[in-house]
Amino acid sequence: MFKKPFANLKTFSPLRSSDRRRFQNEAYEAYPSLKQICSEEGAPHLMPDDLRSAKFTAHSGVTGTVYMSKKQTTWISLENLPPIPTVYTMWQYPDMLPKLYTWGPVVQKLIDGADLMIPGLVLGPEGVLPTLKTGDLVAITIKGYSYPLAIGTMTVPTSEIKPRSGMKGKAVNIIHVYEDYLWSMEIDEWLKKSLYQALVYKIKESNASTILPLSASSLYSAYIMPCRPMDVGTEIDIKKSSYKKLQKFLKAMDKSGLLKTKEQRGETMLISVNWSHPSLQGLHKYKTMESTTQPTKDTAKQTIKPTLQQQKSKQEQAEIQEIFKPLGTSMIKFFEEAKHDTDALYTIPEVRAVVADYIKLHDLVNPQNQKMIKIDPVMCDTILTKPEYNSINELARDQILHRICLKMQPFHSIKLPGKEPVLRKGQPKPVEITQEIRQGRKTITKVTGVEGFGLDVEELSKELTRLCASSTTYNTIQGVSPKNPLYEIMVQGPQIKTITELMLSKGVPKRFIDTIDKTAKKKK
């Protein structure tokens, strides 16, 4: 129902206390187990005080009401149906609805807009289907996984369905599924919240003059992503939002009056911030993905329940930080002139601070265009190539930072969940997932590089066999030292999405997952 954006969505307005209580009673009547859960001491309210509602018309013409708190979309209501929980709400209460099980690749078809067909059903841990009548609401998830990924209504009673028997036909009309447009509305709100947090508490008004202008890519990777809320951070991704592209998101923020952007040499740049914008007023600091503080027992109770990318085991994400050391005579001279230690190791923000100090100490800001920095002799020797000596007289701050980092000696620190950080030479190596065709028309998916993130190849292969419902093998990579063997995992079938989600659930940061699809048809 929500594969495409709403045809029409009214303005959200707060619910009156009486309406909120009435809606809550309707939910309790439809899902009796919720009343007991929500009555326990310390349990969050089923219908929070900040609940808002808006009437909508879906692209299919169906009308209804969507309910949203400040944090996420929580419920929808449709004619002749009880209150319908969103996927997020079902993560909070995973057993509120009976479940039907399917395979991972089928869920992708549901995300693409398909309904659940009878051939896609498999028996769950109970060994039988739950007793459901035509029109009953039902949650859908993957076999071996307890958290719902979709919700819909039965088209036939389960008493008439025989899974894996060759029976054809539709089993469930899908209403809402993970990663559909209704889900992206939640991502939009979290994305904005992360931007506000980054502006106020990371960039800061007092430091803005030394940081701006800033490229869109740097804003996203170095500021917005680290400022995602800790409890939902791994789900926040521009590609999962309704904006889809970073430039579109920033243009929307520009249009709202929050900030100013400008295209420079083909890249969107953040030029300035409206620090008096209403969205930045009275902003409270929260625990972010960048935070090192462990959540307390109380906050842990409020943590979002996992999707494929947030397994029930609540695996922490591996923390990887790029680190640099001054290397070479000219670079060491640059750091000396900036009054910084030439033997120390520096993170990217710390290198940025060194560059800012050097610019300030040597008064290199172009008075006619303060976005540009004049290149003096020391900086010329440090970051320019010989052919550029007579052609480049000034560069933007971000360009200088990029060139400085390229010339420094790279290291990286990796902290695996439950272990102490380890410093390694060179750039961090990603997990590489390659999909290709072998033996004529047979598609396989290969995975390499998992050892760098502390993953056990044998256990990973077993898990992929179950999730992908395919044959999975692994072999040592030739030419690698037998003392520190590396392996290549091979899974039958096109499994890029499923494997990527599994890597994310194991704590591998998304920026360290490279996917290559050699089966995709080349555009003519």
Side-chain angles (χ1 to χ4, degrees), residues 422-441:
V422 176
L423 185 66
R424 298 174 179 171
K425 284 188 177 182
Q427 298 286 352
K429 294 181 180 179
V431 171
E432 190 171 286
I433 305 170
T434 305
Q435 188 169 287
E436 62 185 26
I437 295 175
R438 284 189 178 180
Q439 299 176 0
R441 300 176 64 182

Side-chain angles (χ1 to χ4, degrees), residues 447-461:
V447 190
T448 58
V450 301
E451 298 88 354
F453 296 90
L455 301 179
D456 184 274
V457 174
E458 184 176 359
E459 290 301 318
L460 201 60
S461 297

Side-chain angles (χ1 to χ4, degrees), residues 4-142:
K4 297 179 181 179
F6 294 114
N8 184 38
L9 178 65
K10 301 292 186 181
T11 303
F12 278 92
S13 58
L15 262 70
R16 293 180 299 182
S17 297
S18 57
D19 291 336
R20 193 172 66 250
R21 286 195 299 270
R22 182 169 58 252
F23 189 57
Q24 179 173 271
N25 289 335
E26 290 176 7
Y28 283 156
E29 184 178 348
Y31 315 104
S33 62
L34 292 186
K35 189 169 186 178
Q36 182 178 352
I37 295 171
C38 294
S39 299
E40 294 178 0
E41 186 177 353
H45 295 296
L46 182 64
M47 304 294 173
D49 294 342
D50 61 3
L51 196 64
R52 299 169 293 151
S53 68
K55 294 187 179 297
F56 70 84
T57 302
H59 73 279
S60 59
V62 175
T63 58
T65 305
V66 59
Y67 298 84
M68 175 181 275
S69 68
K70 284 184 179 179
K71 203 170 185 181
Q72 66 276 317
T73 308
T74 54
W75 298 85
I76 55 175
S77 62
L78 300 175
E79 190 176 357
N80 300 323
L81 285 173
I84 302 168
T86 62
V87 168
Y88 175 87
T89 298
M90 290 193 292
W91 287 350
Q92 306 304 306
Y93 311 101
D95 298 320
M96 64 184 294
L97 276 171
K99 298 188 189 77
L100 293 181
Y101 294 86
T102 186
W103 299 111
V106 175
V107 172
Q108 182 57 50
K109 293 185 181 296
L110 303 186
I111 293 172
D112 291 339
D115 290 316
L116 180 61
M117 309 304 286
I118 292 174
L121 288 174
V122 294
L123 294 177
E126 301 85 3
V128 294
L129 296 178
T131 302
L132 295 167
K133 303 187 298 295
T134 300
D136 283 354
L137 284 171
V138 63
I140 298 160
T141 189
I142 296 171

Side-chain angles (χ1 to χ4, degrees), residues 96-328:
M96 64 184 294
L97 276 171
K99 298 188 189 77
L100 293 181
Y101 294 86
T102 186
W103 299 111
V106 175
V107 172
Q108 182 57 50
K109 293 185 181 296
L110 303 186
I111 293 172
D112 291 339
D115 290 316
L116 180 61
M117 309 304 286
I118 292 174
L121 288 174
V122 294
L123 294 177
E126 301 85 3
V128 294
L129 296 178
T131 302
L132 295 167
K133 303 187 298 295
T134 300
D136 283 354
L137 284 171
V138 63
I140 298 160
T141 189
I142 296 171
K143 186 177 180 181
Y145 186 72
S146 60
Y147 292 93
L149 296 173
I151 185 171
T153 55
M154 297 298 302
T155 60
V156 291
T158 51
S159 59
E160 297 180 8
I161 298 175
K162 295 180 180 179
R164 320 307 293 172
S165 65
M167 188 177 178
K168 305 291 185 182
K170 187 186 296 185
V172 181
N173 280 318
I174 298 299
I175 296 174
H176 164 49
V177 62
Y178 168 71
E179 287 194 1
D180 65 6
Y181 185 76
L182 190 64
W183 171 263
S184 73
M185 287 177 62
E186 302 172 32
I187 303 299
D188 287 358
E189 292 301 311
W190 288 328
L191 194 61
K192 291 178 190 175
K193 189 173 182 179
S194 302
L195 172 63
Y196 303 154
Q197 191 80 4
L199 293 176
V200 173
Y201 293 108
K202 196 167 174 68
I203 291 179
K204 301 180 182 179
E205 184 175 7
S206 58
N207 297 337
S209 61
T210 64
I211 296 174
L212 303 181
L214 183 67
S215 68
S217 57
S218 295
L219 172 66
Y220 184 68
S221 61
Y223 294 94
I224 297 178
M225 297 300 276
C227 285
R228 294 170 293 171
M230 181 181 285
D231 56 350
V232 295
T234 57
E235 287 301 329
I236 302 175
D237 187 327
I238 192 70
K239 293 179 181 177
K240 292 182 181 179
S241 72
S242 64
Y243 302 103
K244 302 303 179 187
K245 294 184 178 181
L246 180 58
Q247 286 74 13
K248 187 176 180 181
F249 170 61
L250 292 179
K251 283 182 180 178
M253 296 301 98
D254 189 317
K255 190 174 180 180
S256 73
L258 175 67
L259 44 79
K260 287 292 182 184
T261 61
K262 186 177 181 180
E263 294 293 320
Q264 290 184 357
R265 297 181 179 89
E267 184 168 17
T268 301
M269 303 291 293
L270 170 61
I271 303 301
S272 63
V273 178
N274 177 8
W275 298 104
S276 61
H277 193 275
S279 298
L280 303 183
Q281 307 310 306
L283 205 64
H284 297 293
K285 197 169 186 178
Y286 55 72
K287 288 186 178 181
T288 66
M289 294 292 288
E290 193 176 43
S291 302
T292 56
T293 306
Q294 294 297 318
T296 65
K297 184 176 180 181
D298 290 336
T299 57
K301 290 180 180 178
Q302 301 171 12
T303 300
I304 190 171
K305 294 303 184 291
T307 64
L308 289 177
Q309 300 170 12
Q310 293 172 286
Q311 295 288 355
K312 191 174 180 180
S313 60
K314 298 184 181 178
Q315 284 267 13
E316 296 177 20
Q317 193 176 62
E319 298 174 16
I320 299 175
Q321 192 169 43
E322 292 181 90
I323 298 173
F324 303 88
K325 183 178 181 181
L327 177 67

